Amino acid sequence: MIIRRALGKFVRWCTKPPVVEYGALGENSIVHTPNILDETSKNIFIGNNTTILPNSRIQLFPDRGNRNARITIGNGCFITYNVTFLGGDDITIEDNVLIASNVLITSENHSIDPESNIPYMDQPLITAPVVIGEGSWLGEKAIILPGVTLGKKCVIGAGSVVTKNVPDYCIVAGNPAKIIKKYNFNNHQWERV
Ligand SMILES: CC(C)(COP(=O)(O)OP(=O)(O)OC[C@H]1O[C@@H](n2cnc3c(N)ncnc32)[C@H](O)[C@@H]1OP(=O)(O)O)[C@@H](O)C(=O)NCCC(=O)NCCS
């Protein structure tokens, strides 16, 4: 009996998920499980009233990227299913951002020296911070690549691959993403570019 109990305790200890401690998880914010997080979650800072739906992978790579990198998600964001944030450098998501399912935001690339004996997966990371501007909406399956800053209230079309900065109040679409519309505050319309 005692042995069975001790064995049970040991198995539970071996199989228990790692304790996830965020740098901050604000009031009324929730990160649904299952998700992939690890000990780097201490550099993830989430504001108030933000929701992240299941199957997210949110990770930093301090050993191989910018050691002090943070992932910061603001207040009032709604981040849906299966999103991936790979933080070799800072990723900053400002307030009230909507992110649809299957979106990738990455602030890292692998070095790709084909003459090295080191496989690409182990070569050093090349990193550059990413910023998603306040109130923006990222459509389904959008991809945001390292070094990109999206301005305020941008819209990223479904399936777009964003390789360059996007100014405030623009809609971009395609691969590579191009500006298709810009908001005109004089006539209060989105206008084709
Ligand atoms: C980007 C988006 C908002 C633009 O909508 P819109 O302003 O009504 O755009 P339009 O339909 O007027 O299209 C303008 C042009 O952009 C093209 N376009 C629109 N969305 C595109 C996209 N995602 N990828 C590539 N091209 C796109 C259109 O084909 C059209 O091209 P054309 O001028 O050659 O005819 C919308 O198309 C989109 O992708 N929404 C995301 C939907 C989504 O992910 N929903 C999940 C809910 S959270």
Side-chain angles (χ1 to χ4, degrees), residues 21-167:
E21 281 182 54
Y22 295 97
L25 181 63
E27 231 171 85
N28 299 320
S29 288
I30 181 161
V31 183
H32 287 268
T33 55
N35 55 21
I36 297 174
L37 290 165
D38 56 23
E39 68 288 347
T40 66
S41 60
K42 62 182 185 304
N43 282 338
I44 300 173
F45 295 80
I46 301 174
N48 301 325
N49 303 308
T50 280
T51 300
I52 303 178
L53 295 182
N55 298 321
S56 58
R57 176 186 175 199
I58 303 179
Q59 281 182 311
L60 288 136
F61 299 90
D63 301 344
R64 305 180 55 214
N66 174 349
R67 166 174 313 281
N68 301 313
R70 288 173 165 216
I71 295 178
T72 307
I73 302 173
N75 302 311
C77 295
F78 193 72
I79 297 171
T80 65
Y81 299 91
N82 304 323
V83 298
T84 302
F85 300 161
L86 301 177
D89 208 319
D90 288 347
I91 294 178
T92 306
I93 296 172
E94 296 181 348
D95 294 344
N96 301 315
V97 166
L98 169 61
I99 299 185
S101 301
N102 301 301
V103 162
L104 166 67
I105 299 176
T106 176
S107 55
E108 71 191 40
N109 272 312
H110 289 273
S111 297
I112 42 169
D113 177 0
E115 293 185 42
S116 167
N117 291 331
I118 303 170
Y120 292 151
M121 73 180 97
D122 295 323
Q123 290 191 19
L125 296 179
I126 302 166
T127 70
V130 170
V131 178
I132 309 297
E134 192 255 309
S136 291
W137 167 33
L138 280 58
E140 195 92 10
K141 295 190 176 162
I143 295 177
I144 313 295
L145 291 178
V148 165
T149 293
L150 303 185
K152 195 174 173 178
K153 298 213 171 174
C154 291
V155 179
I156 310 303
S160 302
V161 179
V162 185
T163 58
K164 295 199 167 75
N165 293 349
V166 178

